[in-house]
Amino acid sequence: MLSKKLEDALNKQIRIEAESSQVYLSMASWAEVKGLEGIAGFMYGHSDEERMHMLKLIKYVNERGGHAKISDLAAPKTDFGSFQNMFQELYDHEIFVSNSINDLVHVTLEEKDYATHNFLQWYVAEQIEEEALARTILDKINLIGNDKGGLYLFDRDVQQITVESAASDTVGD
Ligand code: FEO
C-alpha cells in the first residue's frame, strides 16, 4: 500500500508525464506546419513515449492500492520560434523531468517504500537516455548552423537518431 505522501508525489509525476506528452505534441504540430516532416515525426513519436511513461505510472499506482488521478493539464506553447530553439526547449524540459524523478525517488526513501524505489529505477535509466538523446541532437544542430542543406539532411535523418545511437555516441564522455 502506498503512503499518502508517495501517492501524491506519484500523481504529480503522472501529470508531468502527461504535460510532457502535450508539449511534444505541440512541437510536432508546429514542425509539421513548418514543413519539417522528419522533425514532426520525431516529436509525434516522443509524445507517444511520454504517454506510455504516464500510463506505466497510472497502472503502478492503482496496482499498489492508490488512485491515479487524471487532472487538467497546463497548455503548452504553440510557437517555438526556430527548430534550434525547440530542441533546446526539449533538452531543458527533460532536465526538469529528471529533477522531478529524482525528487520522487527521494520520497520513496523517506517513506521506506523500496518496491516503488525499485519501480522508479526504470525512469531513472530512461532519463539518462533521454538526456543523452537530446544532447546528441543539440550537438548535431550546432554543426549544421544556418546551412539549409544541413537542415534538409537533419530533418530527413532525425527519426533515425534513437536513444540507442545517442547512448553509443556518448560512451567515453
Ligand atoms: Fe517521460 Fe521524457 O520523460
Side-chain angles (χ1 to χ4, degrees):
M1 187 81 183
L2 295 169
S3 71
K4 177 79 175 78
K5 183 175 177 184
L6 187 51
E7 183 182 351
D8 288 349
L10 286 161
N11 268 311
K12 183 172 164 234
Q13 191 63 35
I14 286 168
R15 184 191 177 122
I16 286 174
E17 300 292 348
E19 287 179 344
S20 300
S21 181
Q22 294 295 90
V23 167
Y24 299 142
L25 191 59
S26 186
M27 288 179 175
S29 181
W30 180 87
E32 190 160 66
V33 167
K34 297 282 173 195
L36 300 166
E37 293 298 328
I39 293 173
F42 174 88
M43 290 298 181
Y44 279 124
H46 215 60
S47 174
D48 285 347
E49 276 185 36
E50 299 301 345
R51 180 173 163 80
M52 190 271 285
H53 297 171
M54 174 196 71
L55 284 171
K56 202 174 159 80
L57 280 162
I58 289 173
K59 300 277 183 194
Y60 180 78
V61 168
N62 290 342
E63 190 182 289
R64 290 289 312 282
H67 180 187
K69 310 255 174 52
I70 309 306
S71 68
D72 60 345
L73 303 174
K77 54 196 240 187
T78 53
D79 188 349
F80 296 91
S82 66
F83 81 97
Q84 292 96 331
N85 179 63
M86 187 171 74
F87 277 102
Q88 181 64 48
E89 290 194 20
L90 178 143
Y91 178 66
D92 293 345
H93 188 78
E94 287 303 330
I95 299 287
F96 162 75
V97 174
S98 294
N99 288 337
S100 169
I101 294 286
N102 284 342
D103 289 346
L104 188 52
V105 170
H106 184 73
V107 176
T108 66
L109 294 177
E110 282 177 345
E111 299 297 294
K112 296 190 167 57
D113 188 327
Y114 300 111
T116 305
H117 187 268
N118 191 38
F119 167 77
L120 288 175
Q121 295 313 303
W122 184 88
Y123 287 84
V124 171
E126 177 70 14
Q127 284 312 119
I128 292 172
E129 291 183 347
E130 295 223 0
E131 284 183 33
L133 175 66
R135 262 200 310 276
T136 299
I137 290 175
L138 285 180
D139 287 347
K140 291 193 193 302
I141 287 173
N142 279 335
L143 285 175
I144 296 167
N146 289 320
D147 179 51
K148 286 259 188 287
L151 170 57
Y152 172 80
L153 294 175
F154 175 77
D155 185 57
R156 192 192 65 181
D157 296 340
V158 67
Q159 288 182 88
Q160 318 306 322
I161 306 173
T162 60
V163 161
E164 287 74 26
S165 70
S168 59
D169 271 8
T170 53
V171 168
D173 268 10

